[in-house]
Amino acid sequence: MYETPYNRYSAVAYARRWALDRNSKYYDFEKIGGDCTNFASQCIYAGAGVMNYTKITGWYYRNTEDRTAAWTGVNYLYEFLTKNKGPGPFGHVVSRNQVQPGDIVQLGTGSGTFYHTSVITETTPKTLVTAHSFDALDRPLSSYTYGNIRYIHIDGVYN
C-alpha cells in the first residue's frame, strides 16, 4: 500500500457542484436522518478516488443496501478518517487555523454529541462550508449555532 495526495481542488469542486442539488449516483438520505455525511463522503471520495471495502469498519458506498456506516454517519466518518490504516482517505483532528479547503468540520452539542458534517470550501478571509441537510453553498461557518466543533484535516489517501 502506498500513500497519494488528497485532491482538495476536486473535493471542493464537487462540493460546490452538488451543494444545492443531488447526484443521482447516490441515494438522498435527507428524509431518513439527513444527508450531510453522505454528501461529505461524496466530496471526500471526489478528492480521494479510493474507497475502503472492509465490511463494517471500512468506508464505501455501492448502494443504499451496500455501504458502511462511515459513509453516512457523523461519528462513524470521524472514526474512520482518524483511525484508517487501510485503503482510502485518512486524517486527524486539527485546530481552526490548520484546516484547508476540502477538509471536514463537524458540529455538535455542548455535551459532545456530534450531529452535522460539512465540507470546508474556503478558509480566508472567512471559513466557508458547503453541506447537505439544510443545504448550504459557501455558508460562513460563523453563521451556525453549535456547542462543540471539530475539524478533520485529510492528510492523504492510502491506495
Side-chain angles (χ1 to χ4, degrees), residues 8 11-17 19 39 43 99-105 118-124 126-131 136-140:
R8 296 175 179 287
V12 170
Y14 185 97
R16 287 181 168 147
R17 163 62 183 93
F39 176 67
C43 297
V99 294
Q100 295 177 286
D103 285 340
I104 301 300
V105 59
S118 297
V119 177
I120 296 172
T121 49
E122 195 169 308
T123 57
T124 56
K126 295 179 181 179
T127 301
L128 302 181
V129 298
T130 298
L137 172 60
D138 292 335
R139 178 178 170 178

Side-chain angles (χ1 to χ4, degrees), residues 13 18 21 43-44 65 69-70 76 84 88 101-102 107 109 140 144-145 147 153:
W18 294 104
D21 201 357
C43 297
I44 296 168
E65 304 302 318
Y76 294 106
N84 183 32
L107 306 179
T109 64
Y144 285 87
T145 301
H153 176 72

Side-chain angles (χ1 to χ4, degrees), residues 53-136:
Y53 292 99
T54 306
K55 288 284 186 189
I56 302 174
T57 60
W59 175 78
Y60 70 89
Y61 177 97
R62 288 187 179 116
N63 57 58
T64 57
E65 304 302 318
D66 190 7
R67 63 183 165 87
T68 54
W71 189 270
T72 53
V74 175
N75 289 307
Y76 294 106
L77 178 61
Y78 165 79
E79 291 292 323
F80 175 78
L81 289 173
T82 60
K83 295 179 180 174
N84 183 32
K85 302 293 184 213
F90 63 94
H92 69 285
V93 174
V94 296
S95 65
R96 157 58 195 101
N97 62 358
Q98 294 173 297
V99 294
Q100 295 177 286
D103 285 340
I104 301 300
V105 59
Q106 293 185 323
L107 306 179
T109 64
S111 63
T113 302
F114 286 86
Y115 57 82
H116 186 64
T117 305
S118 297
V119 177
I120 296 172
T121 49
E122 195 169 308
T123 57
T124 56
K126 295 179 181 179
T127 301
L128 302 181
V129 298
T130 298
H132 280 183
S133 299
F134 307 109
D135 293 1

